[in-house]
Amino acid sequence: MFDDPRSAAWTPLLEAAWKARGNAHAPYSHFQVGAALLTATGEVVGGCNVENAAYPVTLCAERGALSAAVAAGLRPGGLVAAVVVTEAPRLTPPCGACRQALAEFAERLPILLANRETRELHRIEDLLPHSFTGSHFR
Ligand code: THU
């Protein structure tokens, strides 16, 4: 299902990500990003980047979606799939901070990167190998 980038299972996530992207607040970079997450309980949660005049305050779409998903009940291990969409010709991979944040909630998270023309499927363990986890200090 989520191991095939062309699977119809991605459709609700893509729709949610494009919809959220439409609400992105990106007046500084003009780079609008949408994300969507599917949780084990079947919720699809969208997010968009929210920039700020104080640039470092900016929140990426992925972590915006993650925050909304946790508020909706997501717990570690409960993240099933993620999508990131932009209109850039080069597909947009999650930044390092977002990879770390997503990794907390899934072991083998499939992450679909998409624009209007193309799609590419990655997995969190490939994007963030040897990641730091709670087990390193507990
Ligand atoms: N951005 C995201 O929201 N997600 C990514 O995966 C990459 C970058 C945002 C942050 C900032 O608002 C803009 O894109 C340019 O870096």
Side-chain angles (χ1 to χ4, degrees):
M1 210 157 56
F2 292 110
D3 49 11
D4 172 8
R6 287 281 145 202
S7 166
W10 292 105
T11 305
L13 282 116
L14 285 162
E15 283 174 1
W18 283 115
K19 186 175 176 202
R21 180 185 173 276
N23 293 322
H25 175 67
Y28 306 105
S29 72
H30 303 288
F31 190 63
Q32 294 158 318
V33 185
L37 304 175
L38 173 66
T39 71
T41 49
E43 270 119 341
V44 175
V45 184
C48 60
N49 53 331
V50 182
E51 297 186 348
N52 191 274
Y55 288 7
V57 175
T58 292
L59 180 67
C60 289
E62 296 89 327
R63 272 174 296 146
L66 188 63
S67 176
V70 173
L74 171 67
R75 288 296 170 260
L79 202 49
V80 175
V83 162
V84 183
V85 301
T86 64
E87 288 193 338
R90 286 178 66 198
L91 297 174
T92 302
C95 78
C98 289
R99 294 176 195 200
Q100 180 70 28
L102 293 169
E104 180 92 3
F105 290 88
E107 296 269 296
R108 299 193 72 248
L109 180 68
I111 305 177
L112 189 75
L113 313 181
N115 60 20
R116 299 281 183 198
E117 287 81 40
T118 174
R119 299 174 185 191
E120 205 172 86
L121 185 57
H122 295 269
R123 285 196 177 264
I124 192 66
E125 66 270 26
D126 300 325
L127 296 180
L128 190 70
H130 310 297
S131 69
F132 176 68
T133 70
S135 69
H136 289 100
F137 63 90
R138 275 202 295 263

